[in-house]
C-alpha cells in the first residue's frame, strides 16, 4: 500500500537527517520530505470524492506555508546569521498553524462535520490554558524582563497554544468516533511530535538560539511523515461515530478538563507571585488570556443556551404532535378546545372520539410497524373528511379525536360521525389483504340544548373545558360500545350513572364482607308438566342507603376488578343451600346459576363446583349453569374446555340470552349445551312483531333439531305464554309467572304455580273444547 511505502521511506529519511552533516545535506533531506508531504496532501485532495475534500486542501496549504518558513530559516542559517525569536519565518509558521487548525476543525464525513462548535470552543479553552502554562513554565525562565523582552516571546507561546489545540482536537476525534485507526494514530503521533519539538525548541528561548538543534528538527520532520501517512491512507469504509453525549451532557472527564483549563489563570498568578516575577512582566499575559477564556466560555454558554432553546422548541413540538400520525396530541387538543370554548360566542362546539374497532388484530397479525402505518392512513382519511379549520388528533392507541366549532344549525354531529365511520371503513389493503375496519364514535356537544340539560342536572356545575369535553365524548363512546350501537351522544345522566357505579364499586368489598349481597330466585315453568322444575338464582344488593340494587349496576365493574370469583362463590353457595333445603322438603327443583367470562377462565372452577355439590349433598343434575353466547365466544377454546369439564360432573349447561350474541352454529354444536334460553327482547314482542315471532319459532325448531331443551325468557302475559305453548316451547320464565323473590317466599310461589298452571295435555284439551 502507498501509505506503508511512504511511512518506510519517511522513517529512513528521518534517520538519514539525524546522522547527516549539517548544512546542505540536512536541508536537502528536509526539503524532500516536506515536498513529499505536500504532494501527498495534493494527491489526496485531487482524489477525495467526499465531503472531506476541503480538509485536504487546508492541510496542503498549511504544510506548504510551513515549508516557506523552513526555507526562510534555511536561507538565514546559510548566511550564518543568528535566528531571532521573532522572524519573518514565524509569520508563515503561524499562518500554516492557523490553516492546519482550520482544516482539522472542518473535517467532515458523510454525516457532516465531525466537530461541532461546542467541541471547538472547549478545545480552544483548553488550548489557551495550555498556552498560558507553557509561557510560564516552558518559554519563560521566570527572570525579570522588560515588557518588550517578554512580549518578544509570544510567537513561541502561540506555537505551543496551537499545538495544544490540535492535540485536543485529536482527543475529541477519538471521543467522537471511539475508533483507533491508522489515520488517527498517525494524526496523534504527528501532533505529539509537534508539541514535543516546539517545547524542546522554545524552552528558555531568550537564552538559546532556536532552530539550531538537530533533534527538534528531526521531530518536526517525523511529524511531516505522519501527516503524509494520513493523506495516503485509503479507508475502505467510513468510521462509525459513537453516540455523542451532546452539548447538554458533560461527562466527568469533560467537565474536569474544562474546569482545570479555566482555573489555570489564578494558578499562574499564584505561581508568578511566589516566584517574585514583577506583575508588570506577566500581568498583560494574564489579562489577555483571561479575556480570551472569558470570550470562549461566553461563546460556549451561548451555544449551550441556544441548544436549550432548540430542544425546548423540539419538546414543545413533540408535546403538541402525536409521534406516530403527526396529528395533534392530547395537549394540543385540550388547548384548542379550551380556545374554542372561550371564544365560541353563539357557536356550538363538538368533540367526537373515534375508536377503531378490531384494530388490535392488525398489530397482532402484521406487527406494530404495519399498525402504525394503518393509523397514519386513518388519520389522513379523518383529516380529509372534515373542514380545514377542524382539528383532528390522536388520543393514543386506536382512538382519534375531532374538534370543531360551528354556527348553530350548520352541522349535524350524527352525520359527521357517519362520515368519519365511512372514512375508516373504506377499503384498505395491508399486505394485499383487504382489512375491514369499523369505528365507534362518541359525541360531546356544547350547545344550547346540552347547556340546558347540564343546568337541570346540576345548576352549580362549573363551565366545561377541553379536558371535560374529551372525557364526556369518551363516556359517550363507552356507552355506545356497551349498548352495541355505533354512535353515542353524551348525556349528563351518563356521568351520574358512572359516578354511582364507581361509588358502588368502592363499597362492594364491604357489601361482600357484611352479607349485603342477597340471592333471589325466579321460578321457571316446565310447560309439559305444568309445574316449576327449576329456579334461577339472581343476585341483588340490599344497600343500606340505596335499597335494592340490580346486578347491572355493579357486576360488570366487579368482573374487571377481580372481585367476581368471590361473588360467584357466594351465589353458588346460597343457591345450592336453598336447593338442598327445598329438596329435603319434598320440592324436587333444580337451580340455575349464571357464569361470566372470568369464571370460565378460572382453572379452579370445576373443583369449586364439585366441593359445593358435596357440601350440600345436591345431585349434579340439579345444578345448571347459564352462559351467554358472547361470554362463551370470548375465548372459545378455553370456554369449551371449562364447560366440558363441568358437564363431566353431571351438571347441565344452558345458553342464556340466545340470539343477542355472535356465536355461529358450528360453535353451538361444539358447546356441551342442554338448554337454549331465548332472549326476552324477542319473546316480549313476539305477538306484535312478526320478525321477533319468526326468530322465536326458528330458535325452537333449531333446538328441536339439535336435541336440546328450549326455554323462553320475558313472558309478561298470558298471550305470550299461549303462543309459546303452541310453538312447542319446553319451558318459560318471566314476570307473568313470578318476579325474582327472596328464598323465604319461594316455596309458596312454587306451590301456587304448580296448582294453577295446566299441563300441556290439559291445555290442549281446553283449546279443543273451546
Amino acid at each position: 500500500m502507498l501509505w506503508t511505502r511512504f511511512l518506510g521511506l519517511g522513517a529512513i529519511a528521518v534517520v538519514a537527517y539525524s546522522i547527516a552533516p549539517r548544512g546542505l545535506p540536512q536541508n536537502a533531506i528536509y526539503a524532500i520530505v516536506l515536498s513529499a508531504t505536500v504532494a501527498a496532501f495534493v494527491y489526496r485532495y485531487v482524489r477525495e470524492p467526499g465531503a472531506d475534500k476541503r480538509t485536504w486542501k487546508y492541510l496542503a496549504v498549511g504544510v506548504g506555508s510551513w515549508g516557506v518558513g523552513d526555507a526562510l530559516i534555511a536561507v538565514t542559517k546559510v548566511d550564518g546569521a543568528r535566528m531571532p525569536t521573532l522572524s519573518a519565518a514565524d509569520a508563515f509558521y503561524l499562518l500554516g498553524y492557523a490553516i492546519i487548525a482550520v482544516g482539522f476543525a472542518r473535517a467532515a464525513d458523510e454525516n457532516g462535520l465531525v466537530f461541532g462548535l461546542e467541541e471547538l470552543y472547549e478545545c480552544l479553552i483548553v488550548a489557551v490554558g495550555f498556552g498560558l502554562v507553557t509561557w510560564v513554565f516552558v518559554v519563560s525562565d521566570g527572570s525579570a524582563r522588560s515588557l518588550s523582552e517578554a512580549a518578544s516571546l509570544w510567537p513561541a507561546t502561540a506555537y505551543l497554544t496551537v499545538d495544544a489545540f490540535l492535540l485536543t482536537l485529536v482527543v475529541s476525534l477519538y471521543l467522537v468516533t471511539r475508533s483507533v485507526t491508522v489515520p488517527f494514530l498517525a494524526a496523534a503521533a504527528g501532533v505529539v511530535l509537534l508539541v514535543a519539538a516546539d517545547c524542546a525548541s522554545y524552552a528558555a528561548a531568550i537564552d538559546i538560539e532556536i532552530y539550531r538543534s538537530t533533534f527538534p528538527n528531526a521531530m518536526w520532520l517525523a511529524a511531516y511523515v505522519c501527516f503524509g501517512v494520513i493523506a495516503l491512507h485509503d479507508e475502505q469504509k467510513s468510521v462509525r461515530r459513537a453516540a455523542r453525549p451532546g452539548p447538554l451532557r458533560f461527562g466527568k472527564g469533560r467537565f474536569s478538563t474544562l474546569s482545570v483549563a479555566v482555573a489555570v489563570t489564578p494558578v499562574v498568578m499564584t505561581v508568578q507571585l511566589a516566584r517574585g516575577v514583577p506583575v508588570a512582566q506577566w500581568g498583560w499575559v494574564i489579562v489577555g488570556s483571561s479575556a480570551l477564556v472569558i470570550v470562549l466560555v461566553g461563546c460556549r454558554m451561548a451555544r449551550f443556551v441556544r441548544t436549550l432553546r432548540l430542544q425546548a422548541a423540539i419538546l414543545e413540538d413533540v408535546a403538541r404532535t402525536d409521534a406516530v400520525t403527526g396529528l395533534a396530541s392530547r395537549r394540543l387538543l385540550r388547548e384548542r378546545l379550551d380556545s374554542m370554548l372561550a371564544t365560541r360566542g353563539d357557536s356550538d362546539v363538538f368533540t367526537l372520539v373515534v375508536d377503531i374497532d378490531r384494530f388490535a388484530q392488525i398489530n397482532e397479525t402484521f406487527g406494530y410497524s404495519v399498525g402504525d402505518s394503518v393509523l397514519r392512513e386513518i388519520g389522513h382519511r379523518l383529516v380529509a373528511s372534515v373542514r380545514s379549520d377542524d382539528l383532528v388528533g390522536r388520543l393514543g392507541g386506536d382512538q382519534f379525536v375531532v374538534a370543531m366549532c360551528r354556527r348553530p344549525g350548520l352541522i349535524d354531529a350524527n352525520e359527521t360521525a357517519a362520515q368519519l365511520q365511512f372514512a375508516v371503513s373504506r377499503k384498505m389493503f395491508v399486505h394485499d389483504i383487504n382489512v375491514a375496519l369499523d369505528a365507534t364514535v362518541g359525541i360531546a356537544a356544547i350547545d344550547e340544548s346540552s347547556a340546558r340539560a347540564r343546568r337541570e342536572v346540576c345548576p352549580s356545575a362549573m363551565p366545561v373545558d377541553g379536558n371535560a369535553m374529551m372525557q364526556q365524548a369518551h363516556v359517550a363512546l363507552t356507552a355506545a360500545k356497551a349498548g352495541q350501537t355505533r354512535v353515542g351522544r353524551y348525556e349528563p345522566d351518563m356521568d351520574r350513572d358512572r359516578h354511582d357505579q364507581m361509588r358502588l364499586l368502592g363499597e362492594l368489598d364491604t357489601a361482600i364482607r357484611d352479607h349485603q349481597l342477597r340471592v333471589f330466585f325466579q321460578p321457571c315453568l316446565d310447560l309439559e308438566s305444568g309445574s316449576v322444575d327449576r329456579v334461577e338464582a339472581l343476585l341483588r344488593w340490599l344497600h343500606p342507603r340505596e335499597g335494592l340494587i340490580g346486578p347491572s349496576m355493579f357486576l360488570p365493574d366487579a368482573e374487571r376488578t377481580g372481585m367476581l370469583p368471590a361473588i360467584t362463590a357466594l351465589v353458588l353457595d346460597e343457591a345450592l343451600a336453598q336447593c338442598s333445603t327445598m329438596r329435603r322438603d319434598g320440592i324436587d327443583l333444580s337451580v340455575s346459576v349464571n357464569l361470566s367470562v372470568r369464571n370460565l377462565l378460572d382453572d379452579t372452577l370445576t373443583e369449586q363446583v364439585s366441593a359445593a355439590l358435596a357440601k350440600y349433598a345436591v345431585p349434579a343434575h340439579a345444578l345448571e349453569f347459564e352462559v351467554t353466547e358472547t361470554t362463551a365466544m370470548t375465548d372459545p377454546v378455553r370456554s369449551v374446555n371449562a364447560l366440558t369439564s363441568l358437564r363431566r360432573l353431571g351438571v347441565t349447561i344452558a345458553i342464556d340470552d340466545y340470539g343477542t350474541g355472535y356465536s355461529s352454529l358450528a360453535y353451538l354444536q361444539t358447546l356441551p349445551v342442554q338448554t337454549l334460553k331465548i332472549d326476552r327482547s324477542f319473546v316480549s314482542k313476539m305477538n306484535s312483531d312478526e320478525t321477533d315471532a319468526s326468530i322465536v319459532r326458528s330458535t325452537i325448531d333449531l333446538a328441536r333439531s339439535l336435541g336440546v331443551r328450549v326455554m323462553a325468557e320475558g313472558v309478561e302475559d298470558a298471550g305470550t305464554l299461549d303462543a309459546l305453548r303452541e310453538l312447542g316451547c319446553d319451558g318459560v320464565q318471566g314476570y307473568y309467572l313470578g318476579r325474582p323473590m327472596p328464598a323465604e317466599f319461594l316455596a309458596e310461589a312454587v306451590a301456587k304455580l304448580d296448582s294453577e298452571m295446566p299441563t300441556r295435555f290439559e291445555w290442549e284439551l281446553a283449546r279443543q273444547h273451546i
Side-chain angles (χ1 to χ4, degrees), residues 431-770:
H431 290 189
D432 296 328
I433 298 175
N434 181 18
V435 294
L437 295 176
D438 293 313
T440 304
V441 181
I443 304 171
I446 297 299
D447 52 12
E448 185 57 33
S449 61
S450 64
R452 191 185 315 113
R454 289 183 67 251
R455 288 193 297 269
E456 292 174 357
V457 173
C458 184
S460 60
M462 297 294 291
V464 176
D465 59 8
N467 267 335
M469 276 208 80
M470 287 190 287
Q471 184 263 340
Q472 290 175 358
H474 204 279
V475 169
L477 174 70
T478 303
K481 283 182 170 292
Q484 299 181 2
T485 59
R486 299 193 62 202
V487 177
R489 185 164 182 137
Y490 173 78
E491 300 293 342
D493 285 343
M494 293 179 179
D495 266 340
R496 184 167 56 190
D497 292 341
R498 289 185 63 82
H499 292 161
D500 290 342
Q501 289 175 358
M502 292 299 294
R503 176 177 53 80
L504 291 174
L505 182 61
E507 299 174 356
L508 186 56
D509 188 55
T510 301
I512 297 173
R513 188 171 55 251
D514 294 348
H515 304 288
Q516 296 175 11
L517 299 183
R518 304 291 177 84
V519 177
F520 282 33
F521 298 91
Q522 186 176 28
C524 303
L525 183 68
D526 177 63
L527 295 181
E528 184 67 31
S529 63
S531 60
V532 176
D533 66 335
R534 67 188 62 239
V535 292
E536 182 178 358
L538 299 169
L539 186 65
R540 298 293 185 268
W541 182 353
L542 189 57
H543 196 280
R545 297 187 308 275
E546 307 290 339
L548 206 60
I549 299 175
S552 61
M553 288 295 293
F554 60 89
L555 276 186
D557 289 326
E559 183 167 7
R560 285 190 289 269
T561 58
M563 284 190 282
L564 191 65
I567 295 174
T568 302
L570 182 150
V571 174
L572 180 63
D573 191 77
E574 292 199 18
L576 289 178
Q578 181 62 26
C579 182
S580 178
T581 299
M582 297 191 70
R583 292 175 75 88
R584 285 198 305 269
D585 292 342
I587 305 175
D588 191 13
L589 291 181
S590 298
V591 64
S592 297
V593 176
N594 291 281
L595 293 180
S596 74
V597 175
R598 186 176 290 272
N599 296 134
L600 294 181
L601 301 182
D602 185 354
D603 295 333
T604 65
L605 176 63
T606 303
E607 288 77 5
Q608 294 176 25
V609 172
S610 179
L613 289 171
K615 176 181 177 181
Y616 292 103
V618 173
H621 66 80
L623 176 61
E624 182 176 70
F625 284 112
E626 298 184 12
V627 294
T628 64
E629 296 176 87
T630 305
T631 296
M633 293 305 103
T634 300
D635 189 337
V637 175
R638 294 180 67 179
S639 297
V640 169
N641 291 337
L643 294 175
T644 301
S645 179
L646 290 173
R647 179 61 184 150
R648 290 196 191 103
L649 290 179
V651 304
T652 58
I653 307 297
I655 293 295
D656 194 15
D657 299 338
Y658 182 79
T660 61
Y662 305 98
S663 65
S664 66
L665 184 59
Y667 277 124
L668 192 59
Q669 291 176 314
T670 303
L671 294 171
V673 176
Q674 288 74 52
T675 303
L676 288 184
K677 297 186 72 172
I678 308 174
D679 186 65
R680 68 184 69 249
S681 62
F682 305 117
V683 174
S684 61
K685 296 183 294 182
M686 62 178 294
N687 283 339
S688 58
D689 190 308
E690 184 57 34
T691 300
D692 289 336
S694 298
I695 292 174
V696 173
R697 185 183 306 109
S698 62
T699 302
I700 294 174
D701 292 339
L702 172 64
R704 188 175 294 113
S705 65
L706 293 175
V708 299
R709 190 169 181 269
V710 62
M711 175 174 285
E713 300 178 296
V715 177
E716 310 293 335
D717 52 56
T720 303
L721 179 59
D722 287 340
L724 290 168
R725 280 193 174 114
E726 186 174 352
L727 290 174
C729 187
D730 297 308
V732 293
Q733 176 183 356
Y735 286 175
Y736 178 70
L737 304 173
R739 291 176 176 271
M741 62 193 72
E744 53 266 30
F745 303 115
L746 184 58
E748 181 181 350
V750 169
K752 184 174 183 295
L753 282 173
D754 287 347
S755 64
E756 293 178 352
M757 290 296 156
T759 65
R760 186 182 300 276
F761 181 71
E762 292 171 340
W763 177 77
E764 290 177 350
L765 285 178
R767 284 185 65 198
Q768 293 173 5
H769 179 71
I770 293 174

Side-chain angles (χ1 to χ4, degrees), residues 19-31:
I19 62 178
R22 292 183 179 179
L24 184 59
Q26 282 189 338
N27 291 342
I29 296 173
Y30 203 98

Side-chain angles (χ1 to χ4, degrees), residues 173-181 184-185 235 239-240 242:
L173 179 64
Y174 171 74
L175 296 177
V176 169
T177 62
R178 295 291 181 179
S179 178
V180 179
T181 61
F184 171 79
L185 293 175
E235 284 285 346
V239 176
R240 182 180 179 182

Side-chain angles (χ1 to χ4, degrees), residues 82-132:
R82 186 179 187 274
M83 289 300 301
T85 307
L86 180 60
S87 67
D90 290 309
F92 288 96
Y93 280 141
L94 291 174
L95 178 62
Y97 265 117
I99 295 174
I100 289 173
V102 171
F104 267 86
R106 298 291 293 175
D109 57 18
E110 64 275 9
N111 298 318
L113 293 177
V114 175
F115 301 108
L117 283 177
E118 293 81 9
E119 287 93 355
L120 295 179
Y121 286 138
E122 292 168 9
C123 290
L124 285 172
I125 292 170
V126 173
V128 170
F130 183 84
L132 185 57

